[in-house]
Amino acid sequence: MLKVSNLSVVFDGITILDKISFTVPTGSTLAVVGPSGVGKSTLLHAICGLVRVSNGSVFVNETDISAIPAHKRGIGLVSQTGDLFPNMTVSQNIEFGLRIKHKTKADRTARVQELLEMINLSSLAHRNVMQLSGGEVRRIALARALAPEPRVLLLDEPFSGLDEATHEQLSKDVFQLLSDLSITSIIVTHEIIDAHRCDEVVTLKK
Amino acid sequence: MAEYMERHHLVSKTKTLLIAPVVFLSIFFVVPVTNTFLRYFRFSEFSSVLSSQPLRGVAWFSLWQAVVSTLLTLTIGLPATWALSRFTFRGARLARGILVAPFVLPAVVVAAGVLAITDSRGVTPILWAHVVFNVSVVLRIVGPRWSMVNHRLEHAAATLGARPSRTFTLVVWPHIADAVISAATLVFIYCFTSFGVIAILGGVSRRTLESEIFTQAVRLGNTTTATALAVLQALIISLVFLVVRQLRRSPSLSLHVSAPQALRTKPTHRLTPFIIIAIAVAVVASPLVATVYRSLVINGHVSFTAWRTLFSGSLPALSVSLQSVVTTSLVFAIAAACICVPLALLVATTSAPRALFSLPLVVSAATLGIGLIITFNTSPYAWRSERWLIPVVHAVIALPLVIRALEPATRAIPSSLRHASATLGASPFISWVRVDLSILKPALLRATGLSMAISLGEFGATSFLSRSGSTTLPIAIAQLLGRPGVATQQAGFALAALMIIITVGVMSRA
């Protein structure tokens, strides 16, 4: 379960987020919608621990993680552009979090293979990430975020900038995957159809 | 077909563009240096140098102090570069100005500043002066590269469980490694061929190969020994280049320029960048502040005597006026830039191998100085006493660095812009003037500033060529500081302080 309580982010007197509170039950998906510039991405970064929070708390399974640095929170993030490491192959990107956890090579290989099959991209294991299409980048970024088995997964407009057919297919696949894995997740999206695929919807307003 | 035509055109264009730079470098570098080696290099003398305990000691000192200086410079410079390229905060611009300013100062001025604090000569002051001078090299070379590392990649690594040190090793280092190696190589070469710093802070016992070459050639008249030392020096530097080439990786794939993060948004350890910058500024700025202090205080009492003497127009114990020295330095700097920048632009526009144009980095300024004296000694090439030869030499020395400064900008111009210009009726020359040059303006201004800075600070080769009518600021400062007498030395500090104030105020705004 993820609980955000009175979360505020203020920079130089400008309030980006003002006392945001919501709860995401374990295994369910929450959509966060709202106009551009309202602070949706900042909300995800604040939950991850990537930006400074002025007030409020973040709880994961009843534990207050507000003071815990980002790399120890166990919260995965799939950004808008994927942010794959350009100096690594597809496999190396996906196994990154597993190397950090000192998993054995055998375990890493098995997990990478498993995830590549989940996202239907097994043939791209050794591909240079600079050669991937937009849809493939999003899938690999998702696989990378899932590899270390995060407690919570955050997705920041994971389907933006894709053509309609790719968007539709990717959206279906991602939601199916999240459902199969029963992973607590938050998706920031502009698309109503994607918001309706989620269990709950939260609207941020200016 | 179009691709072949373009390649053919580029190859022809390359040959034409390189004529002027190659001729220039051949006349004022290759010929003098080759002449020196052909006339004065003896294998027997080289063997004597290698078997001479004192000279081996000089070579060893040159090597180990350069290595230690490089490591210390990276220790101070890399964290400061991280702080300034990844974060914005109040005072960052001033801190950057302070840290890059020493690069545009003559080495003798920096050395004078360290002397002002330590009041002693030896290894520690030498190492300190080298760090002060070269932190700016790290900032200038690694900084732009580090700012191109997309900070979202670091965020992604953090969300995957990587602590900051692992993120640096696995995500950031592959992108900046080349730049760090380049910076370290350059710092090593500067320290290895250190002359101005050694002249002020070396005392009797500490000499580098560069200062020994000068002593042997100019003071003792042993050109053969000086040449043998120059060969040894060039061999060591060449070896360094070869080793560095093996360490080079393929260029980083990320071309994204990542805007610095506002420090106030950093979730944890917000004081760390401040502390790092404070330490770096303390190390770099204190000699500069001390120089100004020593110019104003004698025996614990404030005295404006030295400054009054300077602005009265005379420099005690020297036969030139302040106005003459400043004018000479500025004229030489402008002339050097007028020669160097156009030549560097021609080279940077081509894809020719850079080996020839990197040679001035391998061969020391003192060796070049010897070559110029013996080559341009007889009619019709009796130029060694000509004033114009000094800015020409400055241009030779600055050329490799100015080419490196211009290359990223020239390579970033997409050929599609030239294609568009051509379809609108512009000839290749007009396209180059109207399209390329207008895009290159900021880079050309920076290159001009760099060339002028190198000229203003050049000491090694200028020492060989300088006459009474062509005394530059670094020469005048070194002469004043090297002579006995409190008043004379205070005048030296005052002149150094004047140069610091002008340079920090003007050049650091570039």
Side-chain angles (χ1 to χ4, degrees):
Chain A
M1 183 192 74
L2 172 75
K3 181 180 170 188
V4 170
S5 176
N6 287 318
L7 196 72
S8 297
V9 174
V10 180
F11 297 140
D12 288 340
I14 299 171
T15 303
I16 312 293
L17 296 172
D18 186 21
K19 296 183 192 143
I20 306 292
S21 297
F22 58 81
T23 303
V24 187
T26 304
S28 63
T29 311
L30 174 77
V32 174
V33 300
S36 296
V38 77
K40 301 188 295 296
S41 295
T42 304
L43 173 63
L44 296 192
H45 284 189
I47 294 171
C48 272
L50 294 173
V51 294
R52 181 182 162 197
V53 169
S54 312
N55 222 336
S57 305
V58 178
F59 297 84
V60 174
N61 297 338
E62 310 294 340
T63 304
D64 186 351
I65 62 167
S66 309
I68 296 176
H71 66 277
K72 292 182 181 175
R73 291 194 181 194
I75 296 180
L77 174 69
V78 181
S79 70
Q80 224 169 337
T81 51
D83 295 330
L84 298 182
F85 304 126
N87 54 309
M88 300 178 194
T89 63
V90 165
S91 295
Q92 289 168 339
N93 264 275
I94 295 174
E95 70 171 9
F96 183 90
L98 303 173
R99 285 181 65 188
I100 299 302
K101 288 187 167 186
H102 304 293
K103 297 289 185 188
T104 64
K105 189 169 166 56
D107 286 345
R108 295 199 312 260
T109 306
R111 179 72 173 146
V112 167
Q113 192 54 41
E114 178 193 1
L115 286 163
L116 283 172
E117 282 168 13
M118 269 189 212
I119 58 174
N120 300 316
L121 291 178
S122 297
S123 59
L124 298 185
H126 304 292
R127 185 75 64 85
N128 185 315
V129 298
M130 303 297 279
Q131 298 167 342
L132 300 176
S133 68
E136 289 167 346
V137 166
R138 310 302 171 85
R139 289 174 190 267
I140 303 297
L142 176 63
R144 185 180 68 177
L146 289 172
E149 295 177 277
R151 297 183 291 175
V152 175
L153 184 65
L154 309 178
L155 299 98
D156 190 357
E157 298 195 49
F159 316 118
S160 70
L162 300 174
D163 63 85
E164 197 177 327
T166 308
H167 179 151
E168 179 61 22
Q169 186 59 52
L170 185 63
S171 177
K172 278 184 184 167
D173 292 345
V174 167
F175 279 99
Q176 185 62 53
L177 195 58
L178 294 177
S179 171
D180 292 344
L181 296 174
S182 291
I183 188 164
T184 310
S185 47
I186 300 177
I187 298 181
V188 164
T189 181
H190 283 298
E191 302 290 337
I192 300 298
I193 192 166
D194 293 327
H196 284 164
R197 286 189 168 124
C198 297
D199 298 309
E200 294 282 343
V201 179
V202 153
T203 305
L204 291 188
K205 294 176 184 172
K206 281 189 179 168
Chain B
M1 182 67 170
E3 196 183 306
Y4 168 77
M5 294 287 287
E6 179 156 0
R7 251 188 284 128
H8 178 75
H9 172 68
L10 278 172
V11 167
S12 315
K13 187 177 146 194
T14 294
K15 287 178 185 166
T16 313
L17 290 174
L18 286 179
I19 290 174
V22 168
V23 166
F24 173 78
L25 214 55
S26 298
I27 294 173
F28 295 108
F29 179 80
V30 176
V31 166
V33 171
T34 307
N35 196 20
T36 304
F37 291 145
L38 289 175
R39 279 170 68 169
Y40 292 106
F41 181 70
R42 305 280 182 271
F43 276 112
S44 55
E45 186 61 34
F46 189 68
S47 300
S48 296
V49 162
L50 290 180
S51 52
S52 159
Q53 180 70 12
L55 292 178
R56 277 214 312 269
V58 170
W60 174 236
F61 174 71
S62 301
L63 196 55
W64 76 253
Q65 64 79 23
V67 170
V68 174
S69 296
T70 303
L71 291 173
L72 288 173
T73 302
L74 291 175
T75 303
I76 300 286
L78 280 180
T81 304
W82 165 77
L84 289 173
S85 61
R86 302 308 274 164
F87 303 104
T88 59
F89 49 90
R90 198 170 293 180
R93 192 175 170 178
L94 176 62
R96 178 186 295 275
I98 292 170
L99 292 177
V100 299
F103 182 76
V104 302
L105 290 172
V108 291
V109 170
V110 172
V114 171
L115 184 64
I117 294 179
T118 63
D119 221 8
S120 67
R121 293 166 167 83
V123 174
T124 304
I126 289 171
L127 296 177
W128 188 355
H130 284 164
V131 171
V132 171
F133 192 64
N134 289 299
V135 160
S136 55
V137 174
V138 177
L139 260 173
R140 281 175 181 265
I141 294 177
V142 182
R145 192 70 228 166
W146 208 324
S147 67
M148 289 172 75
V149 179
N150 192 337
H151 58 74
R152 291 204 307 266
L153 297 180
E154 296 174 72
H155 290 170
T159 63
L160 292 163
R163 58 183 185 276
S165 56
R166 288 306 297 273
T167 299
F168 175 79
T169 314
L170 296 174
V171 177
V172 177
W173 176 252
H175 291 282
I176 67 170
D178 254 9
V180 173
I181 291 169
S182 285
T185 306
L186 209 52
V187 170
F188 174 85
I189 290 173
Y190 283 148
C191 297
F192 185 67
T193 59
S194 185
F195 186 18
V197 168
I198 303 299
I200 305 291
L201 297 173
V204 176
S205 58
R206 296 297 180 181
R207 300 170 337 256
T208 55
L209 284 170
E210 185 83 350
S211 60
E212 189 63 23
I213 289 167
F214 180 84
T215 302
Q216 292 288 340
V218 176
R219 297 212 177 111
L220 302 178
N222 291 336
T223 317
T224 311
T225 306
T227 305
L229 289 169
V231 168
L232 177 61
Q233 188 184 57
L235 282 173
I236 294 173
I237 294 176
S238 301
L239 194 60
V240 167
F241 269 119
L242 278 172
V243 168
V244 164
R245 214 168 155 182
Q246 301 308 313
L247 297 174
R248 279 266 149 98
R249 299 160 179 245
S250 50
S252 169
L253 299 167
S254 169
L255 297 177
H256 171 92
V257 178
S258 194
Q261 178 185 358
L263 186 56
R264 61 186 180 280
T265 68
K266 195 172 183 295
T268 53
H269 302 116
R270 280 185 295 281
L271 272 182
T272 305
F274 276 125
I275 293 171
I276 287 170
I277 293 299
I279 293 171
V281 167
V283 168
V284 171
S286 48
L288 307 184
V289 171
T291 302
V292 178
Y293 176 82
R294 283 289 293 268
S295 72
L296 293 169
V297 176
I298 293 184
N299 297 327
H301 301 290
V302 174
S303 166
F304 293 97
T305 308
W307 286 91
R308 273 198 289 268
T309 307
L310 275 190
F311 284 104
S312 70
S314 66
L315 290 170
L318 300 184
S319 55
V320 289
S321 67
L322 173 66
Q323 185 182 351
S324 163
V325 168
V326 171
T327 305
T328 300
S329 289
L330 285 175
V331 166
F332 285 172
I334 293 168
C338 290
I339 299 168
C340 181
V341 175
L343 291 175
L345 180 61
L346 291 174
V347 176
T349 306
T350 73
S351 55
R354 298 286 187 255
L356 170 65
F357 303 102
S358 297
L359 282 178
L361 285 175
V362 177
V363 176
S364 74
T367 307
L368 177 61
I370 298 173
L372 291 167
I373 288 177
I374 64 171
T375 302
F376 301 121
N377 201 24
T378 50
S379 181
Y381 307 111
W383 302 335
R384 56 177 285 186
S385 302
E386 298 289 341
R387 281 168 55 101
W388 59 261
L389 190 59
I390 295 178
V392 165
V393 169
H394 292 176
V396 168
I397 293 168
L399 193 61
L401 297 173
V402 176
I403 291 172
R404 279 168 172 73
L406 283 173
E407 261 176 350
T410 56
R411 287 189 178 158
I413 301 174
S415 54
S416 55
L417 293 182
R418 298 190 192 102
H419 296 162
S421 177
T423 61
L424 292 165
S427 66
F429 178 72
I430 298 295
S431 290
W432 184 72
V433 171
R434 294 275 177 98
V435 177
D436 289 43
L437 282 189
S438 61
I439 294 173
L440 288 172
K441 253 189 226 164
L444 286 169
L445 279 173
R446 283 194 299 273
T448 303
L450 177 63
S451 177
M452 288 183 65
I454 292 170
S455 170
L456 280 168
E458 212 294 311
F459 183 69
T462 312
S463 301
F464 284 87
L465 301 172
S466 180
R467 303 286 180 268
S468 61
S470 56
T471 303
T472 59
L473 277 163
I475 300 292
I477 292 169
Q479 286 176 348
L480 287 170
L481 290 174
R483 296 192 184 192
V486 173
T488 306
Q489 295 212 343
Q490 198 191 20
F493 282 118
L495 192 53
L498 180 64
M499 198 159 178
I500 289 171
I501 292 166
I502 293 172
T503 307
V504 170
V506 174
M507 295 290 197
S508 63
R509 287 181 182 273

